[in-house]
Amino acid sequence: MNNNDLQPREHWTTRLGFILAAAGSAVGLGNIWRFPYVTGTQGGAAFLIIYLIAIIFIGYPVMITEMTLGRKTQRNPVGAFKSLAPKTPWWLVGALGVFTGFVILSYYSVVAGWSLSYIFRAISGFTPDMDFADVFVGHITGVGVPIFWHAVFMILTIGIIASGVVKGIQRAVKTLMPILFVLLFVLIVRALTLEGAAEGLSFYLRPDFGAVTAITFNDAIAQAFFTLSLGMGAIITYGSYLSDQDTIGDNAAWVVGLDTVIAILAGFAIFPAVFALGLTPDAGPGLTFITLPAVFAEMPLGSLFGFLFFLLLSIAALTSAISLLEVVVAWIVDEHGWARKKAAIVLGAIIFLVGIPPVLGYSTWDGFEFLGMDVLDTYDWFANSIFLPLGGLLTAIFAGYVWQARNLQDEANRVEGSINVGAWYGFMIKIVVPIAIAIIMLVGLYQTFTG
Ligand code: TRP
């Protein structure tokens, strides 16, 4: 049974609603947690330049592709491929996307749970005598506490998705995204007005090409996919709630632009503060949860700013998590006729359970090791080094050669906007994107397995 025959598909009620939803999906832990620490360890502005090239030449064309696939077919990723290439195995690309949604959301929610718990730690006060490395390790090596916050985060995500596209997703992003912009602005002003902020700025803006290696290119492309929510059908799914009155070239540019600006701005909120207080930005993943609380502890009104920061991080994570759950829910609603509420609750609960091993990887199961990684990093590695680039590669090949770039261009240009999806698109999606992704996947795998 196909549920679409029973209920008309919901559509975003305004263009802004869609742009904020897609930008909300894009702006997440990837921008505020991962982007600054990768930049901090991979040559500052040198990484930024490579990243921008990846965003423009790979991210933007793939964003256009996913939006158009969704709008054209009005289906979840599995249904989208089925409807354009019936009776072929291409639907498996959509299925890989749905599976990737399960994997990413399960550990994403664990990290988002850390962020939620830090909102409350900030309220009880960050003080200079605390050892924040100890605090963080103490937190993640717990069992009940991190599982509790992971559950709270999943319940929030399920609640929004269960309420629907317009009453759930669109309403949530219209409230949360403006709050996110304001919080980020406040934090940037705070960071830039600290004494000694200039040193952080010069670190951030001075390119250190000496730190650039093959890994840097790999990280830049992987980051481009993750941060733009590409490669697993999240944008296909959000695009499927567009009506054909919407301009693709412009909408895609808005989403890519907003995401990039917010990632760069997150750096302006973080690096000046880190340097002003005499710390270094090369802590890796611990930058957000260890270095930053130490920075807040030293700052006037630091607990307040710490509270605002972790609120920002949690909001960014929530508007991304809903897009991950929506992919999975849209699949089972469209393809198997489930009611949305039931789908959100049942699938959300399964994802919660899949997220328990990454929590336990720091305590009960700390003996687990895969290529030197703990459980959470292993999930992340599979998602980012294999599933997302593979999904992106196959989607590009499908769009370029199976559905054909020309057809996609015509579909994308159906409504005229200021950006026309021209012949350049065909060149990108047929040649540049597949080759770039194939190379970085191979280099990435080679590097991982040879250490
Ligand atoms: N883009 C989000 C971030 O930067 C994460 C995310 C949401 C995502 N949906 C996705 C990543 C789909 C890949 C695919 O944190």
Side-chain angles (χ1 to χ4, degrees):
M1 181 179 66
N2 193 324
N3 205 37
N4 287 286
D5 305 334
L6 307 176
Q7 273 164 294
R9 196 173 193 77
E10 278 193 89
H11 288 104
W12 311 106
T13 55
T14 62
R15 175 165 178 227
L16 183 68
F18 168 69
I19 290 177
L20 288 181
S25 167
V27 174
L29 297 173
N31 301 59
I32 296 164
W33 171 59
R34 194 193 261 142
F35 175 79
Y37 87 68
V38 175
T39 308
T41 52
Q42 303 266 342
F47 176 79
L48 190 60
I49 293 167
I50 298 168
Y51 170 74
L52 288 178
I53 294 173
I55 290 283
I56 295 170
F57 291 101
I58 300 175
Y60 183 58
V62 177
M63 178 71 69
I64 289 176
T65 306
E66 288 204 17
M67 270 184 199
T68 312
L69 284 173
R71 192 189 65 178
K72 163 78 180 169
T73 60
Q74 301 280 301
R75 287 287 184 286
N76 70 93
V78 172
F81 284 96
K82 271 190 187 160
S83 95
L84 288 171
K87 309 209 164 53
T88 68
W90 278 103
W91 63 272
L92 287 167
V93 180
L96 173 67
V98 172
F99 176 73
T100 308
F102 271 96
V103 176
I104 297 184
L105 183 52
S106 71
Y107 73 87
Y108 200 84
S109 170
V110 172
V111 178
W114 299 347
S115 176
L116 281 181
S117 83
Y118 268 66
I119 295 180
F120 292 88
R121 281 181 199 274
I123 292 176
S124 49
F126 287 144
T127 53
D129 58 309
M130 289 178 172
D131 180 333
F132 289 99
D134 273 359
V135 172
F136 181 60
V137 171
H139 180 76
I140 66 173
T141 55
V143 174
V145 174
I147 290 181
F148 169 77
W149 289 109
H150 165 46
V152 171
F153 186 79
M154 278 311 300
I155 290 169
L156 293 172
T157 307
I158 292 169
I160 295 172
I161 291 306
S163 312
V165 175
V166 174
K167 289 215 179 91
I169 303 174
Q170 182 173 291
R171 202 174 58 182
V173 297
K174 280 198 165 167
T175 319
L176 295 175
M177 293 306 282
I179 298 176
L180 183 143
F181 297 135
V182 172
L183 288 176
L184 186 58
F185 180 75
V186 171
L187 287 160
I188 291 171
V189 171
R190 169 69 283 190
L192 290 178
T193 51
L194 286 167
E195 208 170 316
E199 217 185 311
L201 281 183
S202 76
F203 165 81
Y204 188 33
L205 301 175
R206 175 173 22 83
D208 173 10
F209 286 101
V212 171
T213 61
I215 292 270
T216 313
F217 287 87
N218 201 66
D219 286 358
I221 299 179
Q223 172 68 13
F225 267 87
F226 188 83
T227 192
L228 294 175
S229 302
L230 297 174
M232 52 79 65
I235 303 295
I236 297 181
T237 307
Y238 274 12
S240 77
Y241 304 121
L242 280 173
S243 70
D244 54 14
Q245 301 311 313
D246 284 278
T247 71
I248 300 281
D250 295 16
N251 282 354
W254 268 102
V255 175
V256 169
L258 277 172
D259 182 74
T260 307
V261 166
I262 289 183
I264 293 174
L265 289 179
F268 282 107
I270 290 173
F271 293 117
V274 169
F275 279 87
L277 295 154
L279 294 164
T280 53
D282 51 6
L287 180 62
T288 300
F289 292 102
I290 299 172
T291 311
L292 280 184
V295 168
F296 292 126
E298 296 291 339
M299 198 185 262
L301 292 181
S303 295
L304 172 65
F305 287 104
F307 164 77
L308 296 178
F309 176 82
F310 287 105
L311 185 62
L312 166 76
L313 187 65
S314 303
I315 289 177
L318 185 59
T319 59
S320 298
I322 57 180
S323 75
L324 289 160
L325 185 57
E326 180 60 25
V327 171
V328 179
V329 165
W331 159 67
I332 214 160
V333 168
D334 287 354
E335 303 298 310
H336 299 281
W338 285 35
R340 165 175 284 274
K341 274 207 176 61
K342 172 180 158 197
I345 294 170
V346 172
L347 296 171
I350 295 174
I351 291 170
F352 166 73
L353 295 176
V354 178
I356 304 267
V359 176
L360 298 183
Y362 298 106
S363 48
T364 329
W365 294 351
D366 64 1
F368 174 94
E369 201 200 286
F370 174 79
L371 299 171
M373 296 181 286
D374 59 46
V375 185
L376 191 144
D377 288 342
T378 303
Y379 278 37
D380 183 61
W381 182 81
F382 273 101
N384 284 300
S385 305
I386 305 201
F387 302 153
L388 292 182
L390 189 62
L393 176 68
L394 293 171
T395 304
I397 292 175
F398 178 81
Y401 298 98
V402 180
W403 190 28
Q404 304 271 334
R406 279 232 59 98
N407 292 328
L408 195 140
Q409 271 168 252
D410 291 344
E411 176 63 32
N413 292 328
R414 187 121 69 111
V415 179
E416 211 177 317
S418 46
I419 303 178
N420 187 52
V421 180
W424 55 268
Y425 168 80
F427 177 68
M428 289 295 155
I429 211 71
K430 285 161 86 164
I431 298 168
V432 176
V433 172
I435 292 179
I437 299 176
I439 292 177
I440 67 111
M441 268 189 87
L442 294 177
V443 172
L445 290 178
Y446 177 79
Q447 302 253 10
T448 307
F449 286 101
T450 56

